[in-house]
Amino acid sequence: MKKSRLSMAVLSAAAALSGVPAVNAAIIDEVEFHGYFRAGFFASKENDFKKADIGGQKEQLGRLGLESDNDGNFGFTTITNIGDDQQLRINIGVGDTEFDDLIGFVEMDGLTRSGTLWGGKRKLGEENYIFMTDFFYTDLEGIGAGIQDFEVGDGFLDLAYISSERNISLDGDYDDFIERASKDPNVISQQNERYVTDAERNSLYENQNNPMHTFHLSYTLGALTLQGNYKYMPDNWDLTGKEWAEDGYDVTAIYHMLNFFGLKGNAFSYAILQAGEGLGSGNLLGGTITDYASLRPGSLTQGYKINDVRAFGNGAPFFGDPYYRITLREEDATSARALLWGGYTNSSGIGFFPSLQAQYNDEGTNNEGDDGSYNYWVSIMMRNIFPVVDNFIVQTEVGYYENVQSGGHWHQSKFTVAPTFVLSDGLSTAEIRFTATYLPLSWTTGEQGGGNAVPLKDDIVFGIQADAYW
């Protein structure tokens, strides 16, 4: 298809400004198409084989047989070589974003001594990910700019600025919310139980979706990567008028081994340590404000992960809403996280993929000057892969976690078997899985919480799922 005269004129003008011949600027050398999707149906035995909702925290138990939420994303990248030492890559796609469904950013090579300049809306560090649990231990996403892979000494430096924000709806009756929230000590303190004027109400509403400014620095030297994030959020108030931390930081160390913790062969492993304070603690440890960061395991005070109004009544949307509570961190709140994970495949093709994860959260000092609460969680899981015949495997997965909050504790476990058809060329992979998962105390059978909540029971969840990435 021929380009219009207008588009050619724009290209020619841009080329003239950059000193590049227009004929070269109009040529796209390569187009890449890549993406991911999963789609499945899961039925709960204890609910007469009705459709099963999410049965447990997959980031702690393992994702196999628990991902009843369908998901997907895709993107295109156009690659244009400009001269001998410059390249322009334009990336655009949909899915996996917290603002709307559009991803768009540009990358420019050859404008600096080394590295890649970028700007736009994107996610950084997608490789910092445990595939068995779908756990991104860094989750840096938003609108910004930066430089990647800039050579410094024997290593590579990344610098970035990212803006992210809560995107919560403020529909509903404010006074009704204040009345409900006053019953939750995690949401409103006694000194905030007061009449709110119209002017104060409008100010609180206007400040709910303020941006959080994140300044990111990372350096990779061989197998070791060190990262740091400083975060600032102006007027970080909740809807009761309480002021939370306006800044914070977190640091991450990642060590990548080409063996399974010393065991050589077809293997790999990672050791990760993370710590943060203020806006770098809790669910924001290693991340910006995203839907994913709101829902992943973090601090147990930052929202009800199921967000089930049956358990908490009409107060649920704010009483324990993780999207609302993502930035509600005390200035001196601190968190630490440790993860060990990897994989080993023996000569018979049998694969072992374990993950051990833990996070501790000190909630800091509250408005009354009292020491805040503490909470922590520990999880362990293992996925095994057993080849049967060409393109057919049987996968199994077991997982267990323990949650502790100010002395109280609860736990959950799961056991999954998944006969799987798989086809792969090494770059693109597709699977069709049939899953059976035994869930002691499954979320599919009742509610967590007080009041008239129905107690949880054991359940078996059956599923069919297609999963592909390319």
Side-chain angles (χ1 to χ4, degrees):
M1 187 176 78
K2 294 184 178 179
K3 293 182 180 292
S4 69
R5 292 182 179 179
L6 177 60
S7 64
M8 287 299 294
V10 171
L11 285 167
S12 297
L17 289 173
S18 63
V20 177
V23 65
N24 288 341
I27 296 174
I28 294 176
D29 296 290
E30 186 178 352
V31 177
E32 295 180 354
F33 174 53
H34 47 82
Y36 164 80
F37 85 88
R38 64 172 180 267
F41 177 81
F42 294 81
S44 165
K45 178 180 179 297
E46 286 299 316
N47 287 297
D48 296 325
F49 296 99
K50 297 175 184 176
K51 183 178 180 180
D53 200 353
I54 297 172
Q57 191 82 26
K58 66 179 180 180
E59 291 90 353
Q60 295 175 314
L61 297 174
R63 67 194 296 184
L64 201 61
L66 286 183
E67 287 186 310
S68 60
D69 56 321
N70 298 327
D71 193 18
N73 63 82
F74 65 85
F76 293 89
T77 300
T78 63
I79 302 172
T80 303
N81 295 307
I82 302 171
D84 294 329
D85 57 358
Q86 293 183 331
Q87 186 179 85
L88 171 64
R89 296 185 296 279
I90 301 175
N91 305 269
I92 190 165
V94 297
D96 279 357
T97 65
E98 76 279 14
F99 307 123
D100 49 43
D101 284 334
L102 178 66
I103 297 171
F105 64 97
V106 297
E107 298 174 289
M108 301 177 181
D109 291 344
L111 273 64
T112 56
R113 176 175 60 83
S114 64
T116 299
L117 287 175
W118 68 268
K121 181 159 117 179
R122 68 176 303 181
K123 182 172 183 175
L124 294 178
E126 291 185 89
E127 68 276 8
N128 299 331
Y129 164 72
I130 302 175
F131 76 88
M132 305 93 69
T133 59
D134 200 28
F135 188 42
F136 289 88
Y137 44 90
T138 68
D139 184 43
L140 300 167
E141 185 175 346
I143 299 175
I147 184 170
Q148 287 186 305
D149 296 329
F150 187 82
E151 293 185 30
V152 177
D154 294 328
F156 297 91
L157 185 73
D158 293 351
L159 291 170
Y161 163 79
I162 299 173
S163 173
S164 60
E165 62 186 30
R166 289 188 299 191
N167 190 21
I168 63 172
S169 171
L170 299 174
D171 296 335
D173 187 273
Y174 180 88
D175 292 326
D176 181 55
F177 163 71
I178 289 294
E179 180 180 354
R180 297 197 313 267
S182 66
K183 301 174 185 178
D184 179 10
N186 288 324
V187 176
I188 182 170
S189 62
Q190 289 188 357
Q191 72 177 38
N192 286 321
E193 294 179 28
R194 56 180 173 80
Y195 177 74
V196 179
T197 67
D198 288 341
E200 288 176 318
R201 176 185 307 169
N202 291 336
S203 179
L204 293 174
Y205 264 63
E206 291 172 357
N207 282 285
Q208 287 308 297
N209 294 320
N210 289 336
M212 185 174 77
H213 307 281
T214 300
F215 300 90
H216 170 73
L217 171 66
S218 174
Y219 186 69
T220 298
L221 180 63
L224 178 65
T225 297
L226 299 176
Q227 295 186 5
N229 301 299
Y230 172 75
K231 306 167 188 179
Y232 171 71
M233 183 176 181
D235 297 332
N236 182 20
W237 305 335
D238 65 19
L239 284 169
T240 71
K242 174 177 169 57
E243 297 182 12
W244 298 84
E246 288 196 348
D247 64 358
Y249 69 90
D250 61 64
V251 293
T252 297
I254 305 167
Y255 188 64
H256 178 201
M257 295 161 276
L258 299 178
N259 54 67
F260 184 72
F261 301 106
L263 180 62
K264 299 184 183 300
N266 186 3
F268 68 94
S269 56
Y270 289 85
I272 301 102
L273 291 175
Q274 298 178 279
E277 183 178 50
L279 288 176
S281 66
N283 284 49
L284 284 172
L285 178 58
T288 56
I289 302 173
T290 69
D291 286 353
Y292 178 82
S294 300
L295 296 171
R296 68 177 176 177
S299 170
L300 302 177
T301 67
Q302 285 185 272
Y304 190 51
K305 302 309 179 188
I306 314 173
N307 199 23
D308 191 342
V309 297
R310 295 175 303 168
F312 289 110
N314 292 330
F318 285 111
F319 180 87
D321 181 16
Y323 305 104
Y324 167 66
R325 296 193 57 82
I326 181 67
T327 68
L328 305 190
R329 306 297 298 160
E330 300 286 1
E331 290 183 357
D332 59 346
T334 57
S335 297
R337 181 189 296 148
L339 307 101
L340 297 171
W341 77 282
Y344 178 81
T345 303
N346 66 19
S347 58
S348 299
I350 299 174
F352 304 87
F353 300 90
S355 180
L356 174 63
Q357 307 170 154
Q359 181 167 334
Y360 178 85
N361 307 287
D362 183 332
E363 297 303 311
T365 306
N366 59 29
N367 277 4
E368 286 75 37
D370 299 329
D371 289 339
S373 62
Y374 71 91
N375 60 82
Y376 64 86
W377 55 267
V378 178
S379 74
I380 184 169
M381 59 77 57
M382 166 78 82
R383 180 183 294 189
N384 291 333
I385 297 177
F386 302 95
V388 180
V389 295
D390 288 346
N391 306 116
F392 181 72
I393 60 176
V394 173
Q395 301 182 82
T396 64
E397 202 169 78
V398 297
Y400 176 86
Y401 72 76
E402 186 86 13
N403 283 336
V404 177
Q405 183 170 1
S406 297
H409 64 90
W410 63 96
H411 65 268
Q412 191 178 25
S413 57
K414 76 133 193 186
F415 307 86
T416 298
V417 177
T420 303
F421 293 93
V422 59
L423 195 60
S424 175
D425 65 357
L427 295 176
S428 300
T429 297
E431 295 186 7
I432 300 174
R433 298 187 282 260
F434 302 87
T435 65
T437 300
Y438 172 58
L439 284 164
L441 303 179
S442 171
W443 289 355
T444 59
T445 62
E447 300 99 16
Q448 298 187 45
N452 298 318
V454 178
L456 300 178
K457 298 184 297 183
D458 297 354
D459 196 9
I460 299 176
V461 175
F462 298 96
I464 300 173
Q465 187 180 45
D467 183 299
Y469 64 86
W470 62 95

